[in-house]
């Protein structure tokens, strides 16, 4: 039988090393999150400027349907594509909740002013 | 000295499969001696050893160690007695699979949390004494019966307890190994350990080192003879 | 020897034992670790992606127009009449009132949806002459694949071809908001969509001088134009607060998967100790370990798997989201979109989120390994050993 190396003389050593490595990596990532990404922060600021210049209102994450491309601009009926009984069929639609300002029952109701659409029957549920 | 006062142990009390393994045993076992408990299979020898070694609590009666009742101690203290006062060699060795010889030997010392170097040196001394040094890193499932028993002995000695308790130590050994075991037990006795051994093997209870033979039958002590 | 040193040494010994014991079933345990780490990885990826996206969206949209005015007809968004901008200019506190022109265009050639938009007058650097276009980076990528510096768009109104020269690409770093944009001149826009000046605008945006007055301005607009729906910047920001929040579909699905996996492990554990495990606990107790030591040893077993799974899962998820731009998640999120922004999210570690994740992954798993041991650990060793 071969003599075990010093490192493996105790079974816990490699495991503790693994735990330590995991911990160190996590801490490094946490530190890096704050320190290594200044360029992305600047890019974000420049993007905000572009938003101001072009007057954009939404993020271009889901381009598959009107109400997923511009959810904040969507009206209550768009998601149903003219058929109020139809089921959600765009995958990204399930990632978005209806904007609070058009569905007062799911969002915090807006006190002032009441938008016309909030007077409409809430048949989204 | 260990003293048993009217000790009984009943398994599964109040159920249909109730077994009174030990009933009303009173016994004094002086320190520094080698004592053999003999009797037929199922007579309660193992159960009695467990009661002595603080591994089980008597259903009734008391166990005293050097005049103090140990059978009613809280679990934590019972565990400490098991660790520091008794070294137990099991009938079926009970080595832990997957651990090396060295690790098995060190096992009873783990709860004390002594520095690893100290513990390792102790274990190495024992390995040497029991001629196991070359097997130190071997997994225990690869050992022969005789080696396994020597590992069990080394494990019983790691905390240097005053009492060594062996349950049927010769059950799995051929005659040559029995002789060797008796030598080892004699050496332990010479070291000042007190021995309690169960056996129905005449080679054991007729051996020179034995000072006292207790005979059991059906959970009771039927005779005690001293030499 | 001081107390804590001894305690530490004991824990280390218990860990030695646990590792040795677990090594006996190394493939099973490694598989368990792997599967669990994968579950944590997916969960953490979704959480990180969602929260980073919410933060980035909130940061960039904090510059969105303070107020957007839409005309609603029959419950649907309709064109705003051409006189609305002037009528809104009359409201005190507003500035930069602007009729916006934007619309969607489905490109039959490649199945992509573009957002075609006329840049604001207030942004001279984006001003365009007829025949010119500025495109978002994702549009550019799609074009480059086909080796074109020109855009040919078939007008949905009259099937005439609009030929646009791409004069610029919007910076790739802004893809989160601009990936699918095609900026064109007003003249091209109106011709392309057959939108006469008297048809008005898609909607109206305006900026408000004093942000405390946004609600007042919005209220005034509602009174002035009863047909209008007013969307404030706060509404826009709120829309994105819920993006990928806990209730959302994918997260729920992932969570369900995680819980299912966990239930399987827990069942595996809770289905009781094998005779061998019970015996082993009996032996340890007989050798002088007390209940506490046995429990601590088993605690380490559960902790090791779940802690390692947590650490590896989270570390990998962080790399996945921030270094590899969510390569595993994006195909899922893309859905049917042909254009998808390549977004480099800004890392942010939320201590509370991490703590919740750690709690969720470590505590239940450890408890599940511990519970079945409890009974064996408190019984007398002689009974357990039989
Ligand atoms: N945990 C237990 N639960 C129920 N019954 C038990 C238990 N342990 C022992 N017994 C019973 O108690 C009796 C005495 O058992 P014990 O093991 O003490 O006998 P023994 O003298 O050591 O026998 P052997 O020589 O075969 O080892 C037996 O009838 C046995 O079946
Ligand atoms: Mg027996």
């Amino acid at each position: 039988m071969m003599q075990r190396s010093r490192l493996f003389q105790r079974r816990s050593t490699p495991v503790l090393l693994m735990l330590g490595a995991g911990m160190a990596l996590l801490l490094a990532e946490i530190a890096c999150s704050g320190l290594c990404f200044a360029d992305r922060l600047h890019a974000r600021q420049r993007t905000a400027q572009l938003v101001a210049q072009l007057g954009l209102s939404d993020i271009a994450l889901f381009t598959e349907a009107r109400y997923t491309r511009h959810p904040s601009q969507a009206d209550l009926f768009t998601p149903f594509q003219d058929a109020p009984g139809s089921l959600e069929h765009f995958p990204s639609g399930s990632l978005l909740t209806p904007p609070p300002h058009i569905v007062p029952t799911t969002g915090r109701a807006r006190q002032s002013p009441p938008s016309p659409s909030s007077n409409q029957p809430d048949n989204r549920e | 000295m260990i003293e048993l006062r009217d000790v009984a142990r009943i398994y599964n009390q109040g159920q249909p499969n109730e077994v009174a393994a030990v009933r009303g045993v009173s016994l004094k076992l002086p320190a520094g001696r080698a004592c053999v408990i003999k009797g037929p299979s199922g007579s309660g020898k193992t159960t009695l050893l467990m009661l002595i070694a603080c591994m089980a609590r008597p259903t009734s009666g008391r166990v005293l160690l050097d005049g103090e009742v140990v059978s009613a101690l809280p679990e934590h203290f019972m565990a400490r007695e098991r660790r520091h006062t008794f070294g137990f060699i099991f009938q079926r060795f009970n080595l832990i699979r997957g651990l090396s010889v060295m690790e098995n030997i060190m096992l009873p010392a783990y709860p004390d949390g002594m520095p690893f170097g100290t513990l390792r040196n102790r274990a190495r001394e024992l390995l040497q004494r029991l001629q196991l040094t070359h097997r130190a890193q071997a997994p225990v499932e690869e050992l022969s019966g005789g080696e396994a028993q020597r590992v069990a002995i080394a494990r019983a000695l790691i905390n240097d307890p005053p009492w060594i308790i062996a349950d049927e130590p010769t059950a799995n050994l051929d005659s040559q190994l029995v002789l060797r075991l008796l030598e080892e037990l004699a050496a332990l006795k010479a070291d000042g350990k007190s021995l309690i051994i169960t056996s129905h093997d005449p080679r054991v209870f007729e051996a020179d080192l034995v000072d006292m033979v207790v005979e059991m039958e059906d959970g009771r002590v039927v005779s005690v003879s001293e030499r | 020897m001081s107390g804590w040193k001894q305690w530490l040494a004991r824990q280390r010994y218990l860990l030695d034992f646990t590792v040795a014991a677990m090594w006996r079933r190394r493939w099973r345990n490694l598989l368990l670790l792997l599967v669990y780490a994968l579950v944590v990885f997916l969960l953490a990826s979704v959480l990180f992606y969602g929260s980073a996206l919410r933060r980035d969206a909130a940061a960039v949209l904090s510059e969105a127009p303070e107020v957007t005015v839409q005309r609603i007809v029959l419950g649907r968004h309709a064109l705003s009449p051409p006189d609305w901008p002037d009528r809104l200019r009359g409201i005190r506190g507003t500035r930069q009132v602007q009729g916006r022109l934007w619309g969607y265009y489905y490109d039959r050639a490649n199945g992509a949806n573009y957002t075609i938009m006329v840049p604001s007058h207030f942004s001279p650097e984006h001003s365009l002459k007829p025949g010119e276009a500025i495109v978002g980076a994702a549009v550019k990528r799609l074009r480059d694949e086909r080796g074109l510096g020109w855009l040919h768009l078939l007008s949905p109104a009259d099937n005439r071809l609009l030929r646009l020269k791409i004069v610029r690409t919007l910076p790739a770093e802004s893809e989160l908001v601009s990936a699918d944009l095609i900026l064109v001149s007003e003249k091209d826009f109106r011709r392309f969509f057959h939108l006469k000046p008297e048809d008005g605008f898609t909607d109206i945006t305006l900026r408000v001088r004093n942000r405390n007055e946004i609600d007042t301005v919005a209220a005034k607009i509602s009174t002035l134009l009863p047909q209008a729906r007013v969307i404030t910047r706060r509404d826009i920001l709120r829309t994105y607060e819920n993006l990928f929040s806990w209730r959302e579909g994918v997260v729920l699905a992932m969570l369900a998967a995680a819980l299912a996996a966990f239930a399987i492990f827990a069942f595996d554990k809770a289905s009781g100790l094998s005779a061998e495990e019970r015996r082993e606990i009996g032996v340890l107790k007989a050798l002088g370990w007390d209940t506490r030591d046995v429990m601590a040893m088993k605690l380490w077993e559960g902790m090791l798997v779940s802690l390692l799974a947590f650490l590896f899962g989270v570390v990998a998820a962080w790399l996945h989201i921030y270094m590899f731009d969510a390569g595993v998640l994006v195909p899922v999120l893309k859905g049917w979109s042909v254009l998808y922004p390549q977004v480099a999210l800004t890392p942010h570690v939320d201590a509370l989120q991490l703590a919740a994740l750690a709690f969720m992954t470590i505590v239940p798993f450890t408890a599940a390994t511990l519970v079945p041991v409890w009974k064996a650990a408190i019984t007398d060793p002689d009974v357990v050993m039989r």
Side-chain angles (χ1 to χ4, degrees), chain C residues 8 41 71 81 87 144 184 236 239 264 325:
Chain C
L8 255 154
F41 166 78
R71 181 166 166 240
R87 295 177 66 184
D144 286 346
V184 298
I236 293 176
T239 303
I264 294 167
D325 296 339

Side-chain angles (χ1 to χ4, degrees), chain C residues 244-264:
Chain C
F244 298 111
S245 69
W246 283 97
R247 290 171 292 147
E248 265 43 89
V250 163
V251 182
L252 263 183
M254 296 252 184
L255 201 65
L259 286 177
F262 172 66
I264 294 167

Side-chain angles (χ1 to χ4, degrees), chain C residues 106-184:
Chain C
Y106 174 70
D107 189 346
R108 253 177 273 174
N110 51 26
N113 281 322
Y114 304 127
T115 299
I116 300 190
M117 189 173 179
V118 177
S120 154
H121 310 306
F122 301 105
S123 168
E125 62 261 52
H126 294 106
S127 69
L128 289 162
K129 289 199 277 290
E132 291 179 345
I134 297 177
V135 298
V139 180
K140 182 74 163 63
R141 268 199 303 277
L142 214 59
R143 288 279 127 186
D144 286 346
E145 275 166 26
R146 302 164 68 207
L148 297 171
W150 292 80
L151 272 177
H152 299 268
L153 305 177
L154 209 57
S155 162
D158 58 9
N159 276 343
R160 287 221 318 252
L161 208 59
L162 177 65
R163 226 171 99 89
L164 296 167
K165 183 172 166 45
I166 299 175
V167 293
R168 230 168 86 199
T169 309
L170 292 169
E173 65 188 25
S174 69
E175 270 191 63
L176 182 59
V177 289
S178 68
D180 66 338
L181 289 187
I182 297 179
L183 303 181
V184 298

Side-chain angles (χ1 to χ4, degrees), chain B residues 76 82-83 94 97 114, chain C residues 13 24 279 285 288 290:
Chain B
H76 182 60
R82 290 201 286 275
R83 211 156 63 226
N94 282 336
R97 243 175 16 89
M114 70 183 77
Chain C
Y13 282 126
R24 287 180 302 207
R279 195 182 152 71
K285 287 205 75 177
D290 80 39

Side-chain angles (χ1 to χ4, degrees), chain B residues 11-12 19 21 40-47 91 168 200, chain C residues 382-383 386:
Chain B
Y11 290 108
N12 307 320
V19 184
S41 184
S43 57
K45 305 182 295 292
T46 301
T47 307
Q91 195 166 350
E168 310 267 1
H200 44 229
Chain C
D382 70 324
V383 178
R386 296 276 151 175

Side-chain angles (χ1 to χ4, degrees), chain A residues 70-91:
Chain A
H70 288 102
S72 77
Q73 312 289 304
D75 59 60
L76 200 50
F77 301 96
T78 328
F80 298 105
Q81 304 289 303
D82 303 316
S86 80
L87 290 170
E88 176 63 58
H89 62 287
F90 284 106

Side-chain angles (χ1 to χ4, degrees), chain B residues 99-119:
Chain B
L99 271 63
S100 69
V101 166
M102 186 85 166
E103 286 164 332
N104 261 283
I105 292 174
M106 296 193 296
L107 221 45
Y110 280 3
D112 287 327
M114 70 183 77
F116 183 68
T118 317
L119 181 54

Side-chain angles (χ1 to χ4, degrees), chain C residues 29-43 257-263 265-266 302-314 357-366 368:
Chain C
N29 284 318
L30 284 176
L31 189 73
L32 192 83
L33 177 63
L34 204 75
V35 173
Y36 206 42
L38 195 72
V39 168
V40 175
F41 166 78
L42 288 175
L43 206 60
L259 286 177
F262 172 66
F265 300 156
M303 287 270 282
L304 262 192
V305 172
S306 51
L307 196 61
L308 281 175
F310 169 77
L311 287 173
F312 292 158
V314 168
L357 198 62
F359 185 83
M360 262 177 39
T361 47
I362 296 171
V363 174
F365 189 90
T366 308

